[in-house]
Amino acid sequence: MSGTWMTTRAWLLMLPLLVVMVAVIGWPLVDTVGLSFTDAKLIGTGGNFVGLDNYTNMLSSTNFSRTLVTTTLFAVISVAAEMVIGVLAALLLNQQFHGRAVLRALMILPWALPTVVNATLWRLIYNPEYGALNAALTQLHLIDAYRSWLGEPGTALAALIVADCWKNFPLVALIALAALQAVPRDITAASLVDGAGPFNRFRFVILPYLAGPLMVALVLRTIEAFKVFDIIWVMTRGGPANSTRTLSILVYQEAFSFQRAGSGASLALIVTLLVTVLAVAYAALVRKSAGSAT
């Protein structure tokens, strides 16, 4: 009897949260699904039922395929760079030296600043007329003239990846640094006595303690990078010539710029499905990591 009452009380306590979730997430999701099967415009009537036409047209379009490739490139390269830089920064900040606490605090700043602020700062750095990057490279005689880094299709995506890495590598560094605190000092000391070099010490002593937390950071950052919108929209708006347009920006353009609400809804659901696949993979990896740890 007491167990039944405890279960009932638990559900009653969660009821307000469930109501909010249904109102904020459930109903808009159902409405989006219904909208995706119509040719509705953003302004006007509800539109006519078109079945799976929105999905087939979107999946077969060159815009979607090119945007998917751009999104994948951005996610893979930026996340890989963030993981490497984050681990290196964590290893550095795990050492004993004067000013370590100050450096740890400063490292958090790029991640703590709003994305819009970060994007605006990098737009100023990349500015083709008075940007700091052009000035530095010119003074070092690496380039002969100022370049429009965000205005050239060949360099725009790389410039965005650099900005995104600077924004998000502190998160990976913080996760790795927290994991490094769990590495027993006696094990690392024993490896030094045994004559293990830095690489072998990292591979066989430190990396096993980092594997689980880094896997979580890897999948979380991959999901975030795959649905990136704000930093790219502020810096390039998907240009030049759609060379930096990601799936989230394509959803925005379909639904709001082109006012094709039905097509935008179908594309939004496709992106949601792709992100859900990544989330399921994340849950499976975490479960596997927890099982191996026990």
Side-chain angles (χ1 to χ4, degrees):
M1 186 68 178
S2 60
T4 303
W5 165 241
M6 291 294 292
T7 303
T8 304
R9 187 171 67 171
W11 279 106
L12 289 175
L13 291 173
M14 289 192 300
L15 184 60
L17 175 62
L18 295 176
V19 172
V20 172
M21 289 183 63
V22 170
V24 176
I25 300 176
W27 171 247
L29 179 60
V30 173
D31 188 58
T32 302
V33 172
L35 190 65
S36 68
F37 294 108
T38 69
D39 59 355
K41 303 298 181 182
L42 186 63
I43 301 176
T45 60
N48 301 316
F49 180 78
V50 295
L52 297 175
D53 287 354
N54 287 331
Y55 291 93
T56 56
N57 292 336
M58 186 57 63
L59 291 174
S60 60
S61 67
T62 56
N63 282 336
F64 176 79
S65 59
R66 291 174 181 173
T67 304
L68 180 60
V69 171
T70 301
T71 305
T72 304
L73 282 175
F74 178 87
V76 171
I77 299 175
S78 63
V79 172
E82 290 163 18
M83 296 297 294
V84 173
I85 299 173
V87 171
L88 293 176
L91 292 172
L92 173 63
L93 295 176
N94 195 47
Q95 305 300 316
Q96 297 288 342
F97 59 89
H98 293 292
R100 183 179 66 170
V102 176
L103 193 57
R104 286 180 175 180
L106 291 176
M107 185 191 67
I108 302 175
L109 284 179
W111 180 62
L113 287 175
T115 304
V116 174
V117 176
N118 277 285
T120 304
L121 290 174
W122 280 98
R123 281 188 63 185
L124 294 175
I125 293 173
Y126 290 137
N127 189 279
E129 297 179 358
Y130 51 80
L133 179 62
N134 277 319
L137 294 179
T138 302
Q139 292 176 7
L140 292 173
H141 304 289
L142 296 177
I143 58 175
D144 297 327
Y146 279 25
R147 296 183 58 180
S148 178
W149 301 100
L150 296 177
E152 301 176 11
T155 59
L157 186 61
L160 289 174
I161 290 175
V162 171
D164 186 73
C165 289
W166 185 82
K167 159 71 177 173
N168 292 300
F169 91 87
L171 175 62
V172 179
L174 288 175
I175 294 175
L177 183 59
L180 287 172
Q181 306 302 309
V183 180
R185 299 295 181 182
D186 54 346
I187 296 180
T188 55
S191 64
L192 287 172
V193 173
D194 292 338
F199 177 77
N200 287 331
R201 191 163 64 251
F202 174 78
R203 178 182 178 185
F204 297 107
V205 178
I206 298 176
L207 187 57
Y209 289 91
L210 293 179
L214 287 182
M215 183 61 67
V216 174
L218 172 65
V219 182
L220 286 178
R221 279 300 307 136
T222 302
I223 294 174
E224 289 296 323
F226 198 82
K227 59 180 185 178
V228 64
F229 176 84
D230 43 9
I231 191 170
I232 296 180
W233 184 255
V234 172
M235 294 182 68
T236 65
R237 294 186 180 270
N242 295 327
S243 61
T244 62
R245 183 170 62 180
T246 59
L247 288 174
S248 295
I249 292 179
L250 183 60
V251 171
Y252 176 85
Q253 291 176 339
E254 282 289 326
F256 298 100
S257 299
F258 306 143
Q259 297 190 4
R260 295 194 285 258
S263 178
S266 64
L267 180 58
L269 290 174
I270 293 173
V271 175
T272 302
L273 179 61
L274 294 174
V275 174
T276 302
V277 171
L278 293 176
V280 171
Y282 158 71
L285 289 172
V286 170
R287 192 180 300 112
K288 181 180 179 181
S289 177
S292 60
T294 57

